[in-house]
Amino acid sequence: MYGIQSPVIGNDILDMGSRRASSRRCQAPPSAKDALMGAPGQFDLPNVPDVSLLSMMKWICFYCVFSLTLGPSQPALYVRSNFASVEGDNDAHQEMKFKKGTTTLAFKFNGGIIVSVDSRATQGGFIASRDVDKVVPINAYLLGTLAGGAADCQFWQRNLGVQCRLYELRNGRRITVAGASKLLANTMSSYRGYGLAMGTMIVGWDAKGPQVYHVDNDGLRLKGKYFSLGSGCTFAYGVLDAFWREDLTVEEAIDLGKRAIYHAAREDQGSGGNNKLFHMTEDGWTMIHSIDVNDMHYEFEEEKKNAMASN
């Protein structure tokens, strides 16, 4: 093309860096070119014919993409061997510990549903991100939360959004919250034992009013008035158990969701970042705020000082 003859790429280029190339180099007799140029060193470029820069770049890109896409021959066995549960000492032999940290909560009250989460993503003791969206909108009247493996939760809740939309198109009406949570539970049951890590809540509003469901990676499905999931859930439950009631006003409910995440982030190293809070009503969900936990700390400390001074 354009007067330039395309080079002929032999197996010596395609096998570059493989065991086959090493064995071929050892078995081949020394040539006159090798005698003149010398055998290539460990980090030297291979002796290849002169080719155009564009052609060489194409083959380099092909080689890199091909190498990166090669995964383990048995993915399920690889996951079970390298990402065992962190309960007990099942992961003692692993070089990479699949430890997770988060705090999510949702509760019903007379004014609807409050969904409050943190935004920190962790890889063991390493903070991978401080601004992860742990609330997944399924539709205008359904929300899902993330706890466990971020990829697992995001993928399957988006898949749930597809199933809910198909249900709506087929039946001409929105799916109920119970139906949506049952779809996710059935999916998780079919993938039980495949190494998924999910602790989610499906919350929404339907003809029966506000509904809150908990679904996990084993297909467990529970209905309740409030749930909290993640490594910081024990601290959040302490706040919810002490101050939750059904007749909360909207302002009181927002403050309760805010304080529960703050105390969880303060005590749990796997939780932190921003507090993202949503309010669900019969008209759908609304995001109320996204506040840095550090700002909440100074706000509550100032409130505590003023309360002590007044007493």
Side-chain angles (χ1 to χ4, degrees):
M1 193 174 194
Y2 300 106
I4 300 176
Q5 184 179 1
S6 299
V8 178
I9 306 299
N11 290 333
D12 55 339
I13 299 299
L14 298 178
D15 295 337
M16 188 170 22
S18 66
R19 294 182 180 178
R20 187 179 301 171
S22 302
S23 61
R24 184 185 298 113
R25 191 181 303 118
C26 296
Q27 296 172 2
S31 62
K33 186 181 290 186
D34 292 333
L36 292 175
M37 300 182 62
Q42 184 178 1
F43 298 101
D44 294 336
L45 292 175
N47 296 325
V48 298
D50 293 335
V51 297
S52 66
L53 179 60
L54 179 60
S55 298
M56 181 59 75
M57 291 300 296
K58 287 181 179 178
W59 280 108
I60 291 176
C61 292
F62 169 78
Y63 181 78
C64 292
V65 172
F66 182 76
S67 300
L68 290 174
T69 54
L70 287 178
S73 58
Q74 298 182 359
L77 178 61
Y78 180 85
V79 169
R80 292 191 187 99
S81 302
N82 293 277
F83 296 100
S85 172
V86 298
E87 297 179 3
D89 58 352
N90 295 333
D91 62 346
H93 65 286
Q94 296 176 189
E95 294 183 1
M96 182 182 296
K97 313 293 186 183
F98 193 37
K99 296 180 179 177
K100 305 166 286 294
T102 188
T103 304
T104 63
L105 63 91
F107 61 85
K108 296 195 302 181
F109 68 110
N110 291 343
I113 304 174
I114 291 294
V115 180
S116 188
V117 301
D118 75 319
S119 67
R120 176 178 290 181
T122 58
Q123 294 174 324
F126 175 72
I127 299 176
S129 175
R130 68 177 307 277
D131 194 22
V132 174
D133 291 327
K134 297 184 181 181
V135 176
V136 177
I138 299 172
N139 60 37
Y141 298 87
L142 277 174
L143 291 173
T145 65
L146 278 65
D152 295 341
C153 294
Q154 288 179 349
F155 177 84
W156 288 112
Q157 289 192 8
R158 287 171 181 166
N159 175 267
L160 175 63
V162 173
Q163 296 185 62
C164 293
R165 179 55 178 160
L166 289 174
Y167 178 94
E168 185 175 351
L169 292 173
R170 288 167 180 159
N171 298 278
R173 64 179 186 275
R174 291 200 323 265
I175 192 171
T176 64
V177 184
S181 63
K182 188 62 177 178
L183 285 176
L184 182 60
N186 290 343
T187 303
M188 292 300 98
S189 295
S190 64
Y191 282 91
R192 183 182 299 172
Y194 278 74
L196 297 179
M198 289 180 57
T200 70
M201 288 177 286
I202 304 298
V203 307
W205 197 291
D206 56 25
K208 295 182 178 180
Q211 309 287 327
V212 180
Y213 285 87
H214 162 48
V215 180
D216 72 0
N217 50 264
D218 288 328
L220 174 68
R221 175 173 168 266
L222 300 173
K223 181 180 179 180
K225 295 183 178 179
Y226 61 82
F227 292 104
S228 181
L229 303 171
S231 58
C233 70
T234 53
F235 308 106
Y237 267 127
V239 178
L240 291 175
D241 289 341
F243 299 104
W244 176 86
R245 64 182 194 275
E246 286 187 333
D247 61 346
L248 290 169
T249 65
V250 174
E251 291 75 16
E252 290 174 334
I254 292 174
D255 184 69
L256 176 58
K258 183 178 172 182
R259 290 177 184 273
I261 293 297
Y262 162 70
H263 285 287
R266 178 178 177 178
E267 303 297 336
D268 175 43
Q269 64 175 355
S271 304
N274 298 322
N275 168 226
K276 299 183 180 182
L277 190 142
F278 294 76
H279 181 208
M280 177 78 69
T281 66
E282 60 181 348
D283 297 323
W285 58 265
T286 304
M287 184 174 182
I288 302 300
H289 66 233
S290 177
I291 304 177
D292 194 308
V293 172
N294 291 329
D295 297 336
M296 293 165 57
H297 172 75
Y298 293 111
E299 175 188 344
F300 292 144
E301 284 296 313
E302 185 68 23
E303 179 183 301
K304 185 188 299 183
K305 290 179 182 179
N306 294 336
M308 294 177 64
S310 62
N311 293 332

